[in-house]
Amino acid sequence: MSKQNRKKFLDIILGAGATAWFASILYPISKYLIPPDIADANVTSIEVGPEIEFKRGSSKIVRFGRKPVIIIRRKNGDLKAFAATCTHLDCNVQFKNETEQIWCACHNGFYDLEGKNISGPPPRPLAKYIVRVARGIIVISSEDMA
Amino acid sequence: MSLYNWLNERIALESMTKFAKKKQVPVFYGTVWYYLGGVSLFLFIIQVVTGILLILYYQPGATTAFESVKFIVSKVEFGWLMREVHSWSANLFILFIFLHMFTVYFAKAYRKPRELTWYSGIFLLALAMFFGFSGYLLPWNELAFFATKVGSDIAGAIPVVGDFLLRLLRAGDEVSGATLTRFYGIHVAILPAVFTVLLGIHLALVQSQGMSVPPEQEHLAEDKRKYMPFFPNFALRDLLFWLIILNVIALLAVFFPWELGTKADPLASAPAGIRPEWYFMFMFQTLKLIPAHVLFIEGELFGILMFAMGGIIWFLVPVLDKKANQNIRSKLWKWIGIMLVIYIIVMTVWGYMV
Ligand code: HEM
Ligand code: FES
């Protein structure tokens, strides 16, 4: 090996060593920073409570796993449930009984009671959840279960 | 003076005082701008002092944070003062960094050999804004909760790294108690450490290069230019400004207190009037004005890309403004600066009107 080649060889070894050294520090740190999945993330259905206690023309937000879900009881008694987080920038939406619409106060976004975005900045509809009443108890389940 | 001598034999005090005495500050119409950086430094010191005092009672966590801040402002003696000064000084801190940045911009102080000072300054501004963003959540009130949801959602829309960034910021998929713990760690440990190092570099560069003057001043003959010694003449004036600022903060803290608001509830609908801190308002208002879809991408992403591009151009001014290095004022960059100032002011005011 010439002197030149030997120098190059040592440079490569040194560079690769330094890179590996850095990677072996950065890898565990980057993994550590993302928290582990918590078990309740995989909830597929929840009980909300007795149907008779849920007033017509009202709504409430419940925890579905770690996600907030808005459940709505229309004037005519129909039950609807949607992801409560606005598709625009993630604020929690609210039910407007007078107009039977879902409203996001953050930037004035509107959805209809099928979850469709009808005005304002929201780019997508709200995800739907399935509502059933079993023996007088309201149960919400995620769509992919059905 | 035996203490002086004792120290001087050990840590070369003489060369330091010589340096401070030799340092000259140019005197001209723009001398007053030189105080802005110093005021920013003073405000940072106030943040460190009041912040450390707040740590003594503050308890991060979804069930304790709001209560502990309430305890600080209602039960702890002068607790209200500490929180008010921390909040007011935080806002003035960012205001003064902005003022400082624009004055050095228009004075062309970023030209060779001070490019590194400009770059480090931009990083300091970004860190200061992150300081504000992370601190805003700490009282765990409704306004801050939803502002953080929105802010981190915007970070999540960044292509490729967005998902990672969102989970990194929120410590999960949703803003929760885990986010609060994380923001606390960022706010009181990570940012102060990084900020202090960068600030040290920034100040070392300023000290070693001396004060810059705008091109017109540099063109003047040496006998037409005036100076004052940094020490004690300029340093005492610095001190006077600091004293005025401290009094202004005290007045603001007493007469315009920051409200604590209502406690955050992840299962409540967002109230109307959710807004970020004022220094994010111009970006927030812009995002609000962009329609849901621009061409084929979502409006949010479009806005982020625009701001990212703008930020990179602003950062790279020392490279892009070729005329500045020849001591010529470029019309183009002057107008870019003026338009940017107007844009920020108009969007901010607009954001507060609606
Ligand atoms: C070493 C430096 C710092 C420490 C140890 C610190 C510590 C703290 C603590 C413990 C809180 C929670 C108490 C409270 O909310 O009143 C807080 C809040 C806050 N901090 Fe800091 N901080 C530091 C620097 C800064 C800086 C440089 C800024 C500049 C933007 C800042 C902005 C804020 C804001 C806006 C709040 C929320 C205030 C409120 O509404 O109560 N902090 N900080
Ligand atoms: S977050 Fe709902 S409209 Fe912007």
Side-chain angles (χ1 to χ4, degrees):
Chain A
M1 239 195 255
S2 73
K3 200 168 179 185
Q4 287 273 305
N5 277 343
R6 208 176 329 157
K7 190 168 176 315
K8 219 184 206 163
F9 177 73
L10 286 175
D11 277 351
I12 291 171
I13 293 282
L14 205 64
T19 311
W21 187 76
F22 258 112
S24 69
I25 291 174
L26 289 182
Y27 180 75
I29 292 180
S30 70
K31 283 288 177 193
Y32 176 85
L33 287 174
I34 299 292
D37 277 326
I38 299 162
D40 73 357
N42 300 320
V43 169
T44 50
S45 84
I46 56 159
E47 292 187 358
V48 178
E51 192 189 11
I52 43 165
E53 283 174 18
F54 198 1
K55 275 209 318 257
R56 287 175 184 228
S58 74
S59 70
K60 73 176 167 191
I61 297 180
V62 294
R63 193 184 293 281
F64 191 94
R66 267 175 294 153
K67 294 197 162 56
V69 167
I70 185 165
I71 170 156
I72 296 167
R73 182 133 201 218
R74 299 181 61 171
K75 287 177 202 149
N76 66 11
D78 276 3
L79 287 164
K80 300 264 174 190
F82 303 98
T85 43
C86 184
T87 57
H88 180 222
L89 297 176
D90 224 22
C91 280
N92 289 356
V93 294
Q94 52 188 288
F95 173 57
K96 286 267 162 213
N97 184 36
E98 314 82 67
T99 50
E100 294 227 299
Q101 279 176 328
I102 296 168
W103 178 53
C104 178
C106 282
H107 316 103
N108 215 19
F110 283 94
Y111 303 85
D112 66 14
L113 286 190
E114 290 306 316
K116 205 169 146 283
N117 46 320
I118 46 179
S119 80
R124 271 164 284 123
L126 294 171
K128 259 195 214 163
Y129 285 77
I130 293 165
V131 193
R132 283 178 296 126
V133 180
R135 281 188 227 96
I137 303 287
I138 302 173
V139 177
I140 305 179
S141 48
S142 52
E143 202 140 58
D144 35 286
M145 272 296 289
Chain B
M1 249 170 85
S2 64
L3 178 67
Y4 181 88
N5 286 339
W6 190 90
L7 280 172
N8 192 28
E9 279 163 20
R10 286 158 183 86
I11 55 170
L13 271 188
E14 209 172 324
S15 62
M16 279 190 242
T17 41
K18 225 191 236 156
F19 177 80
K21 274 192 191 139
K22 214 178 72 201
K23 192 183 160 180
Q24 298 280 329
V25 177
V27 176
F28 67 110
Y29 60 87
T31 302
V32 61
W33 300 333
Y34 295 143
Y35 298 111
L36 296 175
V39 169
S40 310
L41 170 65
F42 177 57
L43 290 166
F44 179 65
I45 296 169
I46 295 183
Q47 288 309 94
V48 174
V49 173
T50 52
I52 290 174
L53 290 171
L54 286 169
I55 289 180
L56 303 182
Y57 290 103
Y58 177 78
Q59 300 176 324
T63 52
T64 50
F66 183 82
E67 289 75 3
S68 71
V69 176
K70 205 165 183 170
F71 178 76
I72 292 174
V73 297
S74 59
K75 295 273 160 44
V76 182
E77 283 200 64
F78 291 109
W80 61 274
L81 184 64
M82 297 309 158
R83 172 170 184 255
E84 292 301 332
V85 170
H86 196 73
S87 300
W88 268 114
S89 165
N91 284 280
L92 292 179
F93 180 50
I94 296 193
L95 177 69
F96 273 93
I97 298 178
F98 265 108
L99 292 176
H100 175 52
M101 176 178 77
F102 280 113
T103 55
V104 302
Y105 177 84
F106 288 115
K108 304 257 162 204
Y110 52 78
R111 68 194 192 277
K112 196 182 166 197
R114 295 185 177 78
E115 299 96 323
L116 290 175
T117 321
W118 173 263
Y119 298 146
S120 60
I122 298 284
F123 274 119
L124 286 170
L125 170 66
L127 288 177
M129 290 172 84
F130 196 23
F131 250 124
F133 181 68
S134 56
Y136 195 44
L137 179 68
L138 298 186
W140 198 244
N141 56 25
E142 202 171 39
L143 222 64
F145 176 79
F146 284 108
T148 304
K149 249 166 111 76
V150 169
S152 50
D153 192 77
I154 292 172
I158 296 171
V160 191
V161 293
D163 235 32
F164 176 77
L165 219 57
L166 179 108
R167 302 198 39 169
L168 185 67
L169 275 173
R170 290 187 177 175
D173 297 321
E174 297 286 333
V175 174
S176 65
T179 318
L180 183 54
T181 310
R182 175 150 303 196
F183 272 38
Y184 181 62
I186 291 172
H187 190 82
V188 309
I190 299 175
L191 285 176
V194 178
F195 195 95
T196 305
V197 171
L198 258 177
L199 183 59
I201 295 173
H202 192 75
L203 293 178
L205 286 168
V206 172
Q207 289 311 317
S208 69
Q209 294 176 329
M211 308 310 292
S212 117
V213 289
E216 304 79 61
Q217 288 290 313
E218 214 161 77
H219 292 318
L220 289 180
E222 192 54 42
D223 60 340
K224 290 254 168 62
R225 294 168 64 176
K226 288 204 221 93
Y227 297 93
M228 73 166 107
F230 175 75
F231 194 84
N233 303 39
F234 190 80
L236 283 176
R237 285 173 173 78
D238 253 340
L239 212 59
L240 181 64
F241 264 86
W242 292 14
L243 212 62
I244 293 171
I245 286 288
L246 191 61
N247 283 298
V248 169
I249 292 174
L251 287 175
L252 289 170
V254 172
F255 292 110
F256 302 95
W258 293 85
E259 282 183 32
L260 187 51
T262 47
K263 188 179 168 177
D265 175 3
L267 296 182
S269 302
I274 289 300
R275 57 168 67 121
E277 301 223 84
W278 61 267
Y279 38 89
F280 292 114
M281 191 51 117
F282 73 99
M283 294 190 264
F284 185 72
Q285 179 63 18
T286 310
L287 284 181
K288 216 158 135 179
L289 295 175
I290 297 174
H293 295 277
V294 179
L295 304 174
F296 46 89
I297 54 176
E298 279 186 15
E300 190 184 351
L301 180 58
F302 179 78
I304 292 171
L305 294 178
M306 296 293 285
F307 280 117
M309 228 152 64
I312 292 172
I313 291 174
W314 189 248
F315 180 78
L316 289 178
V317 170
V319 185
L320 298 175
D321 180 2
K322 297 233 159 53
K323 286 202 179 133
N325 287 345
Q326 303 154 19
N327 261 344
I328 305 172
R329 272 187 188 275
S330 124
K331 280 227 168 62
L332 173 70
W333 287 100
K334 182 174 107 184
W335 280 104
I336 288 179
I338 293 174
M339 295 313 284
L340 183 62
V341 173
I342 294 175
Y343 174 75
I344 291 178
I345 294 176
V346 168
M347 281 297 175
T348 307
V349 172
W350 191 354
Y352 277 97
M353 280 182 348
V354 286

